[in-house]
Amino acid sequence: MGTILQLQHGNISSLIAALGPEDAVVHNLENWSLKPLQDQSDVPGNQTLVRALAREFARMDIDEAFAPNVTRGSGNIIDTKDLLDMIWLDDPHVLHRNQYIHADGLFLGLGQAFVVSAGGCGIIVAGDGEHLCVAHAGRDSLIARSAVIGKPTRKHISVVDSIIEQFLWRGTTPRNITMTMLFSIPARGFEHSGDHPVHGAYNRALADFIGDRWPGGVLREGDKTFLDLDQVFVEQARQAGVTKAWAAHSLAEHPRLAHTRDGKSPDRRNLVIVKRES
């Protein structure tokens, strides 16, 4: 069921599952959204979701999982201890959350898992042979909106730089980091029209911002402009000194997984689980 991958970053192994809308239906779910499940008081009213998560965790031999609040694409990397709300799905499966802290990623210990509900946003898995960081990597995570409009409000433009900073604090140099981005929206499915009646001005500013810094991240075909977030990620990482950075498994290769521009309901979501196995 779903898409199962195994990644190796040095001597660190991670097991990755991506479950799409059809997998949700198997569990009698309409959606993989984690929004209804924020703390223990939400468990009684969301038993179908709770049982589905517990089954998938059991399938991957996961007892402890962490699901940060990624809704703002904040670019922040936090510690697992910051997710204070322990949601007991069943024994022994527990989900850690904190709806009041906006963050894209965190470092995992052995056997721990990162969980996110995503509609086309990529997932970054980064390791140095000792530490493993997993992060949500949507458009606003990779390119801060505030920076695009010339009024930056966060330390780093991209979650990529936030991840690298955390590795530096752990004594790792960029050349020893390996970074992979998975399951991002296909470039030609991610049009940003400059004449959009609502978002046109921002789309033009965003395309210029990316083109000036990571030129491979903008595709122009006639009067259409597309964003290639995989390429944005790779160029950001390599500019920061991470030579071992690549993107794989675009959603173009996985038609059963959803994204917000696939012509179907924009509310459809995938569940992505990344477990550190060694």
Side-chain angles (χ1 to χ4, degrees):
M1 186 184 298
T3 298
I4 304 294
L5 305 173
Q6 192 95 33
L7 279 188
Q8 199 75 29
H9 292 84
N11 60 0
I12 297 178
S13 175
S14 55
L15 181 65
I16 301 161
L19 305 165
E22 293 177 12
D23 300 304
V25 171
V26 170
H27 287 289
N28 297 314
L29 285 171
E30 294 182 2
N31 200 311
W32 278 119
S33 173
L34 298 176
K35 186 176 180 180
L37 200 58
Q38 299 292 342
D39 58 43
Q40 191 66 33
S41 67
D42 295 323
V43 168
N46 294 280
Q47 279 295 298
T48 304
L49 176 59
V50 166
R51 286 193 295 268
L53 291 173
R55 287 179 192 138
E56 293 302 331
F57 290 174
R59 194 187 310 275
M60 297 177 68
D61 194 23
I62 294 166
D63 292 343
E64 188 175 35
F66 299 83
N69 182 351
V70 303
T71 54
R72 290 187 182 175
S74 64
N76 294 331
I77 303 299
I78 59 172
D79 194 281
T80 54
K81 70 176 184 297
D82 294 320
L83 301 186
L84 302 174
D85 292 311
M86 298 175 65
I87 305 171
W88 290 95
L89 307 176
D90 64 10
D91 188 12
H93 305 111
V94 60
L95 181 67
H96 296 260
R97 302 216 71 185
N98 188 337
Q99 62 184 307
Y100 303 108
I101 294 181
H102 295 276
D104 276 322
L106 42 76
F107 281 74
L108 294 176
L110 184 63
Q112 294 178 335
F114 169 95
V115 184
V116 68
S117 175
C121 297
I123 304 298
I124 295 172
V125 184
D128 65 352
E130 181 180 356
H131 308 99
L132 186 74
C133 181
V134 185
H136 161 267
R139 180 193 60 194
D140 292 350
S141 309
L142 292 167
I143 312 130
R145 295 180 68 90
S146 59
V148 172
I149 63 174
K151 298 179 180 179
T153 57
R154 69 193 204 200
K155 182 177 180 180
H156 296 299
I157 290 174
S158 174
V159 66
V160 171
D161 295 307
S162 298
I163 293 169
I164 293 170
E165 178 183 64
Q166 291 292 328
F167 274 106
L168 293 176
W169 285 350
R170 287 164 171 79
T172 302
T173 60
R175 69 175 180 273
N176 291 324
I177 303 170
T178 302
M179 303 183 83
T180 309
M181 188 154 94
L182 305 165
F183 306 129
S184 61
I185 190 168
R188 284 179 173 79
F190 206 33
E191 183 180 357
H192 279 63
S193 173
D195 58 6
H196 189 282
V198 177
H199 305 295
Y202 179 76
N203 288 346
R204 291 192 299 272
L206 177 61
D208 290 343
F209 189 87
I210 295 172
D212 288 343
R213 292 161 177 80
W214 317 290
V218 179
L219 302 178
R220 300 186 191 274
E221 297 181 353
D223 60 351
K224 294 185 176 181
T225 300
F226 303 92
L227 302 188
D228 187 336
L229 296 186
D230 279 345
Q231 192 60 31
V232 169
F233 157 74
V234 170
E235 292 188 25
Q236 288 179 343
R238 291 180 178 169
Q239 283 179 12
V242 179
T243 58
K244 294 171 286 187
W246 63 87
H249 292 278
S250 160
L251 291 182
E253 302 172 33
H254 298 278
R256 291 178 176 240
L257 299 178
H259 63 79
T260 55
R261 306 288 185 92
D262 62 9
K264 301 175 184 179
S265 170
D267 295 327
R268 296 160 74 244
R269 291 291 180 271
N270 308 311
L271 186 75
V272 180
I273 306 170
V274 182
K275 176 192 175 186
R276 178 173 177 173
E277 292 209 304
S278 64

